Amino acid sequence: MSTYRDFTLAHRRAARGTVLRTIGTRERRSHLTAPRVPTVGIDIGGTKVMAGVVDADGVILEKIRTETPDKSKSPKVVEDTIVELVLDLSDRHDVHAVGIGAAGWVDADRSRVLFAPHLAWRDEPLRDALQSRLAVPVMVDNDANTAAWAEWRFGAGRGEDHLVMITLGTGIGGAILEGGQVKRGRYGVAGEFGHMQVVPGGHRCPCGNRGCWEQYSSGNALVREARELAAADSPVAYNIIARVGGNVSEITGPLITELAREGDAMCVELLQDIGQWLGVGIANLAAALDPSCFVIGGGVSAADDLLIGPARDAFRRHLTGRGYRPEARIAKAQLGPEAGMVGAADLARLVARRFRRATRRRVERYERYERYAQQLGRRETPAPETEAPETKAPQAPVPKTPGPEIPGPKHLDDQP
């Protein structure tokens, strides 16, 4: 037989569970309550700076692009370029916030760029510097984080609660999303998958180590292998040598992809090698993170199934517990090179919401102070006789001096 105490405890547990579920839902759906206002997203790399105005549905309203300044050894030069792009866009759009996706390590507070390999940012307070010049909220994050957010919101990762994004470009970047939140780690530098060591004592990496994953599955690895074959005058490289007129330095990743689509055997094989190494790394990440989906983005992903097909095969061969566990989905990113820009703009919209809330609170406090000051002033200022005679304090009768009687009505104070 249940008692009143049992009923009370059950009710409290249910109420607590409801509160916890509500808090979790509110955190996961924070982007749904963000203001539907246009924001600017900026994607900064070693060679280009792309800026665009993005609406709340991820649609790019306008996009402009410029080259990264040659004098990028000075942080202020890149900062000036960003300000010029934002001001240019704000001439034609009502901009409420700015999001920056930077190719570098950003601290956990998303305010400072700790290190950028292709720019002169070393512990650079980028957010505060830009915010003081633009007079709108500014958000700074790693470019892979912003790209992953965009794919989760508008692209290949929609509907996924546990997502890992891998960006294949010059190197390999990455990001982790769980429950609608980007996992940045304690110091803000989580997701640097490209520097996992997969071949001890392997190729030297610019990070200083050997055998990093990006030395075997990235745009640099693809071009390096093709150029080595061409420089050795390998018979399998005759087609690509002819295409560049014997100038090996003109061999690029897009050219290799183009020839592979045309059926060039060497280029197809190179992409298969890159894809197999990609699958090995994804299997390692699955063992560590167990996501439901891997999204492959970056310039190298333009090779489509020439790359992702071999990656899926290698993933199945190297997955721990294969055959006895669910396999994560591997999908190509849908938003292309604009993903980082779109994601930065959308994340900035959350900052705009907090900024608007803080501004509204300041305005409300000021209005309350004004009302209080007015009320206080009315209390301290004596009201005129004609406005409120009933509020006057009673006065003592004035004694009459002897003199001739003046005819007419008597004043109330003269009454006995």
Side-chain angles (χ1 to χ4, degrees):
M1 180 176 179
S2 61
T3 63
Y4 175 79
R5 180 175 179 274
D6 295 333
F7 173 81
T8 304
L9 291 176
H11 177 72
R12 287 178 179 175
R13 282 195 294 267
R16 183 183 181 190
T18 302
V19 170
L20 292 176
R21 284 195 298 273
T22 303
I23 292 173
T25 302
R26 185 163 63 246
E27 290 178 349
R28 288 195 298 273
R29 295 183 178 177
S30 59
H31 62 283
L32 299 178
T33 59
R36 296 183 64 83
V37 294
T39 51
V40 169
I42 298 179
D43 186 15
I44 306 173
T47 58
K48 54 86 181 171
V49 181
M50 186 190 309
V53 180
V54 182
D55 69 11
D57 297 316
V59 177
I60 301 173
L61 305 179
E62 184 181 354
K63 179 179 68 174
I64 54 180
R65 174 175 172 162
T66 185
E67 300 299 319
T68 303
D70 292 335
K71 298 179 180 179
S72 59
K73 292 182 179 179
S74 169
K76 192 174 184 304
V77 175
V78 183
E79 180 186 312
D80 292 340
T81 302
I82 296 170
V83 171
E84 290 172 7
L85 292 175
V86 174
L87 294 179
D88 185 8
L89 291 170
S90 63
D91 288 339
R92 298 175 295 281
H93 302 274
D94 185 17
V95 175
H96 290 255
V98 176
I100 310 290
W105 292 359
V106 179
D107 68 353
D109 293 331
R110 289 181 289 169
S111 62
R112 310 177 74 88
V113 181
L114 302 176
F115 172 75
H118 305 294
L119 298 168
W121 287 334
R122 304 292 185 271
D123 199 23
E124 182 68 21
L126 185 62
R127 183 188 66 186
D128 294 342
L130 291 174
Q131 200 159 269
S132 63
R133 297 180 62 179
L134 295 174
V136 294
V138 175
M139 185 281 309
V140 181
D141 208 338
N142 174 266
D143 56 349
N145 288 343
T146 61
W149 180 267
E151 291 292 339
W152 176 72
R153 287 275 283 120
F154 311 110
R158 281 176 294 185
E160 300 288 351
D161 282 339
H162 296 78
L163 177 146
V164 170
M165 183 162 185
I166 299 167
T167 55
L168 301 178
T170 303
I172 295 181
I176 307 164
L177 271 86
E178 183 176 337
Q181 293 184 345
V182 178
K183 299 300 181 182
R184 298 180 175 85
R186 173 62 181 84
Y187 304 106
V189 296
E192 292 295 335
F193 307 137
H195 298 289
M196 299 186 303
Q197 190 181 57
V198 295
V199 180
H203 292 294
R204 175 73 70 180
C205 180
C207 76
N209 293 327
R210 288 185 176 273
C212 292
W213 186 25
E214 69 176 38
Q215 291 304 305
Y216 300 89
S217 184
S218 67
N220 270 354
L222 181 66
V223 172
R224 182 191 67 227
E225 297 294 323
R227 288 181 178 177
E228 286 181 359
L229 288 169
D233 203 23
S234 170
V236 299
Y238 284 169
N239 192 16
I240 197 170
I241 291 173
R243 182 65 68 92
V244 297
N247 190 350
V248 174
S249 62
E250 292 184 5
I251 296 176
T252 62
L255 176 60
I256 297 170
T257 301
E258 178 185 345
L259 291 175
R261 287 202 179 101
E262 295 174 1
D264 183 88
M266 183 199 76
C267 294
V268 169
E269 184 177 344
L270 289 178
L271 283 171
Q272 287 176 342
D273 290 344
I274 297 296
Q276 289 173 3
W277 277 111
L278 176 61
V280 170
I282 292 176
N284 290 338
L285 291 174
L289 303 174
D290 191 29
S292 59
C293 177
F294 288 94
V295 176
I296 312 300
V300 182
S301 68
D304 298 324
D305 279 344
L306 290 169
L307 173 81
I308 297 179
R312 289 193 181 107
D313 294 339
F315 170 69
R316 295 188 185 101
R317 289 197 306 272
H318 294 89
L319 180 63
T320 303
R322 51 192 174 276
Y324 297 96
R325 60 176 288 176
E327 291 185 7
R329 180 170 65 95
I330 299 176
K332 182 194 171 186
Q334 294 179 358
L335 301 182
E338 287 85 13
M341 180 185 72
V342 172
D346 199 60
L347 285 167
R349 193 168 288 107
L350 302 179
V351 178
R353 180 191 61 183
R354 292 192 290 271
F355 178 80
R356 285 155 67 97
R357 283 180 175 175
T359 302
R360 186 170 65 247
R361 285 195 292 268
R362 285 196 296 270
V363 171
E364 290 173 352
R365 284 198 299 268
Y366 177 76
E367 290 175 348
R368 286 197 299 269
Y369 171 78
E370 285 292 311
R371 289 195 297 269
Y372 173 75
Q374 291 173 3
Q375 293 171 0
L376 188 63
R378 283 198 295 268
R379 292 196 196 100
E380 293 178 350
T381 303
E385 273 187 50
T386 56
E387 291 184 1
E390 68 278 4
T391 60
K392 291 180 57 179
Q395 298 179 358
V398 179
K400 297 176 64 177
T401 56
E405 192 75 25
I406 300 175
K410 295 182 178 181
H411 194 270
L412 292 175
D413 290 342
D414 297 334
Q415 298 297 324

